[in-house]
Amino acid sequence: MPKKVFLSFILPLMLVLSACSMGGFKPDHKYKIEPFSSTNQHNEQVSLDDLKGTVWIAQFVFTNCDNVCLPMMANMADLQKQLQDEGIEDYKIVSFSVDPEYDTPEVLQEYLDAFDPVDQSKWEMLTGYSQEAIEKLAIGSFKTFVTKAPDTVIHGSGFSLVNKDGVSVKTYNGAEDVPYDQMVKDIKALIKEDAKS
């Protein structure tokens, strides 16, 4: 086969193959979530195994927080509205309380009500573990910090995207300049990718 003919055949083929490989979801990292057991706002037990098979978005907040948690909760509710507008339904929002001693299931339910999310059934407001356990889970599984201070709890403000296998694959700003469009795109792509596997 002449070189010119060969190149005219192989170059388009290589471009098609590279375009195929560029599609789909691209993780920024892969942090395996360690097993946890907790109680949600309905006094139901929720573990990592219960979330397996579903894409979820995690955040760390507490109800007595008077600064970063308020915009984080409002932003998560806004994200849910955008997911609903896009017809995306196969996901969960998981909010870990970083003050489990105060944040009972009843307190968490009242807190969630205040933000008027479009579909509360998608939300898991979690508590029921020790302070040490949530600090260990945050740093070990999500690479974010939770530290109990004398009058408050200091914690990260990111949103973490977790795949159906319980692996954190991306982290986004959660308190300000939230990249909603990118998050919706990533969640949609990850759900689609997970559905194929």
Side-chain angles (χ1 to χ4, degrees):
M1 180 183 291
K3 189 174 182 182
K4 242 182 182 179
V5 175
F6 176 76
L7 287 175
S8 67
F9 172 77
I10 199 71
L11 285 176
L13 181 62
M14 288 173 68
L15 287 171
V16 168
L17 290 174
S18 68
C20 289
S21 66
M22 285 172 15
F25 179 80
K26 297 272 189 299
D28 287 344
H29 51 250
K30 291 185 178 181
Y31 305 147
K32 185 178 178 183
I33 309 301
E34 294 301 316
F36 62 84
S37 182
S38 55
T39 306
N40 70 9
Q41 70 271 29
H42 306 299
N43 252 308
E44 300 164 338
Q45 290 301 299
V46 177
S47 69
L48 178 61
D49 284 343
D50 294 322
L51 295 168
K52 290 277 180 78
T54 303
V55 171
W56 46 288
I57 310 106
Q59 65 174 346
F60 292 83
V61 296
F62 66 110
T63 63
N64 270 335
C65 176
D66 58 5
N67 47 56
V68 73
C69 301
L70 300 174
M72 286 176 69
M73 286 291 294
N75 292 341
M76 193 67 90
D78 286 344
L79 173 64
Q80 185 181 39
K81 177 68 168 62
Q82 295 194 31
L83 291 171
Q84 184 187 55
D85 290 346
E86 288 289 320
I88 301 170
E89 297 184 357
D90 191 18
Y91 69 91
K92 283 281 189 180
I93 295 169
V94 180
S95 297
F96 293 95
S97 170
V98 296
D99 189 11
E101 187 174 347
Y102 179 82
D103 286 342
T104 63
E106 295 74 21
V107 168
L108 289 172
Q109 179 61 68
E110 187 177 341
Y111 189 63
L112 179 60
D113 289 342
F115 292 93
D116 194 26
V118 292
D119 183 358
Q120 287 201 15
S121 71
K122 300 291 186 190
W123 291 67
E124 300 287 0
M125 303 291 292
L126 302 184
T127 188
Y129 33 70
S130 68
Q131 188 68 38
E132 181 184 4
I134 194 58
E135 291 179 10
K136 185 178 176 184
L137 180 71
I139 192 65
S141 296
F142 294 93
K143 311 306 179 207
T144 190
F145 61 92
V146 171
T147 305
K148 182 83 169 176
D151 299 316
T152 189
V153 183
I154 303 166
H155 60 92
S157 59
F159 292 159
S160 295
L161 180 58
V162 181
N163 70 16
K164 69 168 189 177
D165 297 319
V167 177
S168 172
V169 291
K170 281 199 175 187
T171 304
Y172 313 87
N173 291 335
E176 55 186 26
D177 299 323
V178 180
Y180 293 113
D181 290 346
Q182 187 62 52
M183 289 190 72
V184 169
K185 181 180 174 184
D186 288 344
I187 292 165
K188 186 186 290 187
L190 189 55
I191 290 171
K192 186 176 180 182
E193 180 179 275
D194 284 348
K196 291 178 182 176
S197 58

